[in-house]
Amino acid sequence: MKRLTRLSLTQKLLGAIGLPLLLAFIALGLIVNTQLNNAIPPMLEDTSARQVEARANEVGRWIEGYRTLLSGLAKDERLAESVPVEEHLEWLASRHPGDATIESFYFADASGDTVTHSGARADISGRGYFQELVIDGTTDRLLADPVLSLVSGLPTAIIAETIFDESGSRVGLLGITLSMEAVSEITSAIDVGEGSYGYMVDSSGMVVAHPDPDLRMNLNVTDADQAGFQGVNALGQRMLSGEAGIGQVVSPFDGNVTMVWSPIPGTGGWALAAAIPSNVFTAVSTNLLFSLLIVGAVILLVLLVIVGFSARKALAPIKQTAQAMADIAQGKGDLTRRLTAHSQDEVGELAVQFNGFVERMQRTLQEVRGNARTVLAGASDMADGTQELSSRTEQAAANLQETSASMEEIHSTVSHTAQASEQANGLATNAAGVAERGNEAMTEMQAKMASIDASANKISDIIGLIDSIAFQTNILALNASVEAARAGEHGRGFAVVAQEVRNLASRSADAAKDIRGLIDTSVKHTQEGSQIVKGAAERMQELRQSVIQVSDVISEITAGAREQTSGIEQVNTAVAEMDTMTQQNASMVHQNAGLAATMRDNARRLDELMSEFILGEAELTEARPGPAVNRPALALPSAVTNPSQQAVKPASKRQQPARELEEDWETF
């Protein structure tokens, strides 16, 4: 639907006329195609059946002519004489018609001994047709199914007649070998349509004549499905029934094919058939339909050209009207322009009404332009005055803002000083407590060092006692060794024990000596550490006194800073309130200036829009008011929010609703 709305009237008119005609042509073509497809195929089938029947009769007459010729020659009494077969050679050669279609003309006696017109000899006593004609006597004349000739390698059929003597006995036969090339020429003459062809089968279903030499004597219609055909086996059985007919098969070469066949008279089961591709039956209707479509397309094209030219001519005023309205919509409109009505129909009425509409719009816009210029002059004066007032108010607000910011910085600095003093006082108090606890710890450490010194002296005495014991033990062990030496052999074991005791005493004395050295060193270090701890305790006592004095001084400073902070905070509050009121007043003034400037701009824009139209009257003689000078001003998003407050953001400033600001402005 969206695409239809984008089409022009000419295109819609062409579509409204062309589509029904196109549908009518298509419907007519379908009807004609259906009627032709219903009528032409039966006509072609009947024509092809008659042509096949005529060709079958022609083949029948052709074969019957040779059979009649052979029947007349077989009645010659000389053939019944009991003489050697070679005696008949001259007679055969003289009776041969000289036709290339007859491959051989021969005579056979009752024993099967055979001679041909060319002098060739053979024995045909074992041939089936010889048994039927001479031995069994089941028939007097015979047409055998074609076979491949041993001489030419081509399909040939044998026609034979029985020879009787005067008593009526069968004494031999006279025969001819007939080439089937002539039959192939007859079948090739069958032409029902493009791609159609004819062929002949014998009584066994073997294909004897065919345009394709590879299929001759190689394809049997009763076994053709094994060669890739579909439905030929069943149709071949119908062909051999001796009745004419029509059937559908599928060929691996031509696709869907219609078979039309007719029996050949006098052949005893031979049939002539024509293969017709299915597209032959629809070719006529398709060609006719294609021709109708071409003619219809040409007629439709000519009709559309005529309708398109007429529609373009008739709809030209509407296009001019649309172009004029488009110019007005784009700001390029000439409202003095009028359309000419060339007719009194709906299109002419549209031009008349458009002229009336433009005239009414011209008068209205003239009045609007005059009023817009008057408003522009007043708005420019009001914008200039309001802009000057806004500039002064903003300057005052800026000065007061700087004062408020300075007071805020002083208040912040004093507050930070007071906080730092309180922190320093707390740190001094903590330091005094730490010094006091350090002094107590040093006193305890000094007592502990004295205890360690006493313990070290006791350990030294014990080590001296151990050393004395080790010395006495060594002497006793020495005496024991002397006594053991005196005892001789009996005191040897005691001497060993005494030696071990001396060794233990010696090692004990060495260990006691080492321990004494270590203890003496520890005692010395303990004494030195006791002296150091005593000195540190005295320093900690002095530090404690100093920290107490500093804490007292900082407490006095903190109290003074608190009193200063309280006073500055009161001053800052008063200045902040004054700054808030001034900023609110500046905001209201700036808002009025913005409204005045906006009204001036709108009036100027309205005048510019009016100037884009050609209204047809003389230009105004009075001078237009010049554009007001745009002075830089603070950008205010609304009357509620102050940009200076956004820049400095003191803690005491807050946004207020518009109603409160208006009340404050009226109070001010």
Side-chain angles (χ1 to χ4, degrees):
M1 295 299 293
K2 292 183 178 179
R3 294 182 178 178
L4 292 177
T5 58
R6 298 175 183 174
L7 299 177
S8 63
L9 290 176
T10 302
Q11 293 173 338
K12 292 179 180 178
L13 182 60
L14 291 177
I17 296 176
L19 289 178
L21 289 177
L22 180 61
L23 294 176
F25 280 128
I26 294 175
L28 179 61
L30 294 176
I31 294 173
V32 171
N33 187 46
T34 303
Q35 294 296 331
L36 291 177
N37 287 335
N38 292 334
I40 291 178
M43 293 174 57
L44 290 177
E45 290 177 359
D46 183 63
T47 301
S48 59
R50 291 182 180 181
Q51 185 176 170
V52 170
E53 183 180 4
R55 295 297 178 181
N57 293 333
E58 181 180 355
V59 173
R61 290 193 298 272
W62 178 76
I63 295 175
E64 186 61 28
Y66 284 102
R67 297 184 70 176
T68 301
L69 172 64
L70 187 62
S71 178
L73 293 176
K75 292 182 171 59
D76 194 327
E77 296 178 353
R78 286 172 288 182
L79 296 177
E81 296 176 357
S82 180
V83 293
V85 294
E86 59 269 14
E87 295 294 333
H88 301 291
L89 177 60
E90 183 179 356
W91 184 89
L92 291 173
S94 62
R95 300 299 187 276
H96 187 273
D99 190 353
T101 304
I102 300 177
E103 187 177 288
S104 62
F105 183 35
Y106 62 91
F107 169 78
D109 60 12
S111 63
D113 190 11
T114 305
V115 63
T116 67
H117 71 284
S118 60
R121 301 291 298 275
D123 183 7
I124 63 172
S125 59
R127 306 287 176 88
Y129 66 89
F130 181 81
Q131 297 289 331
E132 293 181 14
L133 293 174
V134 179
I135 303 304
D136 299 333
T138 56
T139 183
D140 295 337
R141 57 188 307 184
L142 179 141
L143 173 64
D145 288 335
V147 295
L148 291 177
S149 172
L150 298 178
V151 178
S152 63
L154 298 176
T156 57
I158 294 176
I159 301 175
E161 289 282 342
T162 306
I163 298 175
F164 297 92
D165 58 9
E166 295 179 354
S167 62
S169 300
R170 299 174 185 270
V171 295
L173 61 82
L174 184 66
I176 59 176
T177 302
L178 192 64
S179 175
M180 293 289 104
E181 282 297 317
V183 178
S184 296
E185 293 176 0
I186 295 174
T187 58
S188 298
I190 298 176
D191 184 9
V192 184
E194 183 178 0
S196 62
Y197 59 89
Y199 63 95
M200 188 185 75
V201 298
D202 60 14
S203 61
S204 64
M206 183 63 67
V207 176
V208 177
H210 196 279
D212 187 359
D214 295 335
L215 297 180
R216 297 172 188 172
M217 306 303 295
N218 290 324
L219 177 66
N220 194 305
V221 293
T222 60
D223 297 325
D225 288 356
Q226 287 73 13
F229 294 86
Q230 296 181 17
V232 178
N233 289 356
L235 188 139
Q237 296 294 336
R238 293 174 56 191
M239 285 184 183
L240 302 180
S241 64
E243 296 180 358
I246 298 176
Q248 301 289 331
V249 298
V250 178
S251 171
F253 311 105
D254 304 318
N256 293 327
V257 177
T258 300
M259 295 292 183
V260 181
W261 69 89
S262 177
I264 299 175
T267 58
W270 292 13
L272 188 66
I276 308 170
S278 298
N279 56 10
V280 172
F281 294 94
T282 58
V284 176
S285 59
T286 302
N287 294 334
L288 181 58
L289 179 62
F290 184 72
S291 301
L292 290 176
L293 290 179
I294 292 178
V295 174
V298 173
I299 295 175
L300 179 61
L301 181 61
V302 173
L303 181 61
L304 291 179
V305 170
I306 296 174
V307 173
F309 179 77
S310 303
R312 184 178 295 273
K313 193 73 174 177
L315 298 178
I318 298 178
K319 186 175 182 180
Q320 295 176 358
T321 304
Q323 183 64 38
M325 297 183 70
D327 293 340
I328 295 174
Q330 296 176 0
K332 303 177 183 178
D334 183 2
L335 298 183
T336 62
R337 177 183 178 183
R338 299 295 182 267
L339 299 178
T340 302
H342 297 284
S343 62
Q344 297 182 357
D345 55 4
E346 289 82 356
V347 177
E349 182 66 18
L350 176 63
V352 172
Q353 296 301 327
F354 176 79
N355 293 336
F357 166 75
V358 172
E359 184 176 359
R360 175 62 178 170
M361 186 176 179
Q362 179 185 7
R363 292 198 300 269
T364 302
L365 291 180
Q366 288 175 350
E367 295 178 1
V368 171
R369 185 171 66 178
N371 294 332
R373 291 180 176 178
T374 302
V375 173
L376 176 60
S380 298
D381 296 338
M382 185 174 63
D384 293 340
T386 307
Q387 187 70 26
E388 184 67 22
L389 177 60
S390 175
S391 177
R392 295 177 183 177
T393 305
E394 289 173 356
Q395 184 64 34
N399 295 333
L400 186 58
Q401 182 180 0
E402 292 179 357
T403 303
S404 176
S406 299
M407 291 301 298
E408 184 68 22
E409 292 178 358
I410 295 172
H411 176 265
S412 177
T413 302
V414 173
S415 298
H416 291 165
T417 303
Q419 294 176 1
S421 299
E422 291 179 356
Q423 293 178 358
N425 188 20
L427 294 175
T429 302
N430 293 334
V434 172
E436 183 68 25
R437 290 192 296 273
N439 187 26
E440 293 176 358
M442 293 304 295
T443 302
E444 293 179 358
M445 184 178 291
Q446 187 176 4
K448 294 296 182 182
M449 291 300 294
S451 299
I452 292 171
D453 188 20
S455 299
N457 290 330
K458 289 181 181 180
I459 293 172
S460 179
D461 293 339
I462 294 171
I463 293 303
L465 179 58
I466 293 172
D467 191 18
S468 177
I469 294 172
F471 179 73
Q472 292 296 330
T473 302
N474 190 20
I475 293 175
L476 291 176
L478 182 60
N479 293 330
S481 297
V482 173
E483 291 299 329
R486 290 179 181 178
E489 186 70 26
H490 298 287
R492 180 176 300 173
F494 186 72
V496 173
V497 174
Q499 183 64 34
E500 293 296 329
V501 172
R502 286 183 64 192
N503 292 336
L504 291 173
S506 177
R507 288 197 295 272
S508 298
D510 294 337
K513 184 177 181 180
D514 294 338
I515 293 171
R516 178 182 293 279
L518 294 174
I519 292 301
D520 291 341
T521 302
S522 298
V523 169
K524 182 178 179 180
H525 291 169
T526 301
Q527 291 175 353
E528 293 175 354
S530 179
Q531 294 298 326
I532 293 172
V533 169
K534 184 176 181 182
E538 293 175 356
R539 301 295 184 278
M540 288 297 295
Q541 185 65 25
E542 294 175 358
L543 177 61
R544 177 174 174 275
Q545 294 298 329
S546 299
V547 170
I548 291 174
Q549 293 176 2
V550 171
S551 177
D552 294 338
V553 173
I554 292 175
S555 297
E556 294 177 359
I557 294 173
T558 301
R562 287 176 180 172
E563 294 178 358
Q564 291 179 1
T565 301
S566 177
I568 292 174
E569 184 175 358
Q570 294 177 358
V571 175
N572 189 28
T573 301
V575 173
E577 292 177 355
M578 293 178 63
D579 180 57
T580 301
M581 295 298 295
T582 304
Q583 295 292 344
Q584 292 173 356
N585 295 337
S587 175
M588 295 297 294
V589 172
H590 190 76
Q591 182 181 9
N592 291 335
L595 293 175
T598 301
M599 184 170 65
R600 179 186 60 192
D601 294 338
N602 291 336
R604 182 184 296 110
R605 177 58 181 163
L606 181 60
D607 184 62
E608 292 175 355
L609 292 175
M610 294 298 103
S611 299
E612 293 178 355
F613 293 95
I614 301 175
L615 301 179
E617 85 283 2
E619 297 294 332
L620 296 179
T621 58
E622 65 273 11
R624 288 190 180 183
V629 179
N630 293 328
R631 297 183 177 88
L634 296 176
L636 295 177
S638 65
V640 181
T641 306
N642 194 335
S644 61
Q645 294 175 353
Q646 295 179 352
V648 180
K649 295 184 179 178
S652 61
K653 298 181 180 180
R654 300 184 302 272
Q655 295 179 347
Q656 298 181 1
R659 184 176 298 175
E660 294 181 2
L661 293 180
E662 294 176 358
E663 293 176 356
D664 292 341
W665 170 253
E666 293 175 358
T667 302
F668 180 77

